[in-house]
Amino acid sequence: MTEDRRRTSAGGATFWADALHHFDAVRRWRGFAMDGMGLGPQESPYAIVLEQSGVRLRRYELPPASDPAVLPAVLIVPAPIKRGYIWDLLPHVSVVRRLAADGFRVYMTEWTEPGDAEQDFGLADYADRLIGKCVAAIARDGGGERVFLAGHSLGGTLATLFTSLHADSVRGLVVVEAPLHFGVGGGALARMVADAPPAATLREAFGNIPGSFLNLVSARASPREFNWQRRVDMIASLADPRALQTHLAVERWTLDEFPIAGRFFEELIEQLYRDDLFARGQLSIGGRPALPSGLAAPLLAVIGKGSEIIPPGSMLPVIDASPADRKLVLDYAGDVGVALQHVGPLIGRAAHEHLWPQITRWLWEIVRSDEPGRPA
């Protein structure tokens, strides 16, 4: 490539990087406008108990008359792309509120927007060090040395990788529509990544990868899930005010995205999506093996049978390879009023009526097996 062509290529990459970062800001502004219309999230009260580069740790307010000394701790690990309040979107469809009402001490890793200082944060930071800092902070906060982890989508991937490295610190793992296997059967995103250019090219062009770019890639990978199903769900929600409220709140949440650290993006794409190193038992994080054989903690997986993005084939091979003594797989069949079926297990009405009661019962079964004297 001649010097002139290199300058032209670099200039074009800079233009698109600036445009997409600007589009991120425009989308956030649209989200603020929706907040002004009363369509924003209605989050539960919380306090920040840890804050450092890359993450804050939220501790949610306990129900009245709760004794924090006897409540088992659950650490929610959201995907580090959009905001974690999808777990606490509205009072009637809040996993945070449900867990607290069912007797758990609830924490959440709140991923912060990466700047230049976080551009070199990778899998070792997001899947190990930062979650580990949160687990240690929970112990200092009185939540116990071992916690339950719950993660959705890419957050579930991170929670799974952490568990494979630190099973002794994890009381039980709940993964909800989380990509774990990325080869054949790995879903629409895995197929798209297989044909994409090296992730280093995008990292060089963008630095931290704009959220708008990830949104565009997702929509291209599965127009059915990210476009057509949203429109159908909007129409189906019109006759049900509660479903419509949830649908609009999810639409507002989709605008609240932020960049992903450049090195993390590159390692995620190359080591997981393209080479499938975790499912193949060849992944190393921070010089230590992160393998399905390390998933010895009790494991519950929620699978979306009709999902193009995270199909059963993206989860079951790793679930099957786990040596955990206690494993449970639950199906999510979809719902009305969720906008994106991918987040339906967190905010769907049917999910809260049927799915989450099963999950909390399973968590309490583990607590009682750990503490035989605890009453049922």
Side-chain angles (χ1 to χ4, degrees), residues 30 45 73 85 132 166 175 183 196 231 282-283 314 335 346:
R30 287 173 56 197
Y85 64 75
H166 304 281
V175 285
R231 290 167 171 77
Q282 299 175 6
L283 182 64
S314 183
D335 214 334
L346 303 184

Side-chain angles (χ1 to χ4, degrees), residues 11 24 56 67 79 125 134 169 205 214-215 285 305 312 320 326:
D24 275 2
R56 287 189 288 262
D67 181 357
D125 298 289
C134 291
S169 299
L214 302 172
N215 188 64
I285 294 179
K305 281 198 162 182
D320 291 341
R326 302 174 70 108

